[in-house]
Amino acid sequence: MTRIRVLLIALLLTAVPLADAVAMESGQSRDRREQPRQRDADQNDDRRISLAEAERSVRAGRPGRYLNASDRGNVIVVRWAYPDGRIADITVDARSGRIIGER
């Protein structure tokens, strides 16, 4: 009975390093198997809309005309002229394209 336990423990101790060796041959360590998913999520977070996409977002359902746009990091500010002559700065989220506010 003791021999069987010793053999099982020896087998388990050799199986763990063997699994790590197989993982390293495939270019991954045990700790880094989840990193590709995390890297993909980080790349999606880096996606930003262009100034033209921000203009289209503002133009949808809004009368008037586009004057200009400026990229200010996390937001894009679109300057818009309404038909009544009022000029507004419309803030658009640079990642989602959602309109945040207007001044």
Side-chain angles (χ1 to χ4, degrees), residues 31 47 52 59-60 66 86 98:
D31 299 332
R47 184 192 177 290
R59 185 178 303 273
Y66 166 82
R86 182 171 59 96
R98 186 176 54 89

Side-chain angles (χ1 to χ4, degrees), residues 2 5 7 20 28 33-34 37 41-42 47 49-50 55 58 65 68 70 79 82 85 90 95 97-100:
T2 305
R5 285 184 188 166
L7 287 174
D20 283 342
Q28 295 178 340
R33 289 181 190 152
E34 295 298 321
R37 280 191 221 145
D42 291 344
R47 184 192 177 290
I49 65 169
S50 67
E55 175 192 349
V58 170
R65 66 186 176 93
N68 67 9
S70 62
R79 183 150 289 173
Y82 284 99
I90 301 169
R95 290 187 181 156
R98 186 176 54 89
I99 295 175
I100 297 172

Side-chain angles (χ1 to χ4, degrees), residues 27-93:
Q28 295 178 340
S29 71
R30 224 176 4 165
D31 299 332
R32 290 192 258 170
R33 289 181 190 152
E34 295 298 321
Q35 279 186 346
R37 280 191 221 145
Q38 184 180 10
R39 193 174 349 157
D40 291 342
D42 291 344
Q43 287 174 352
N44 290 337
D45 289 343
D46 292 339
R47 184 192 177 290
R48 295 175 46 85
I49 65 169
S50 67
L51 295 178
E53 289 172 316
E55 175 192 349
R56 280 191 291 268
S57 178
V58 170
R59 185 178 303 273
R62 181 176 269 116
R65 66 186 176 93
Y66 166 82
L67 297 177
N68 67 9
S70 62
D71 189 346
R72 298 189 182 167
N74 293 333
V75 296
I76 295 174
V77 178
V78 176
R79 183 150 289 173
W80 192 259
Y82 284 99
D84 63 359
R86 182 171 59 96
I87 300 205
D89 288 335
I90 301 169
T91 308
V92 179
D93 185 307

Side-chain angles (χ1 to χ4, degrees), residues 1-14:
M1 189 68 140
T2 305
R3 286 183 186 172
I4 294 175
R5 285 184 188 166
V6 171
L7 287 174
L8 284 176
I9 290 173
L11 180 65
L12 288 174
L13 289 175
T14 57

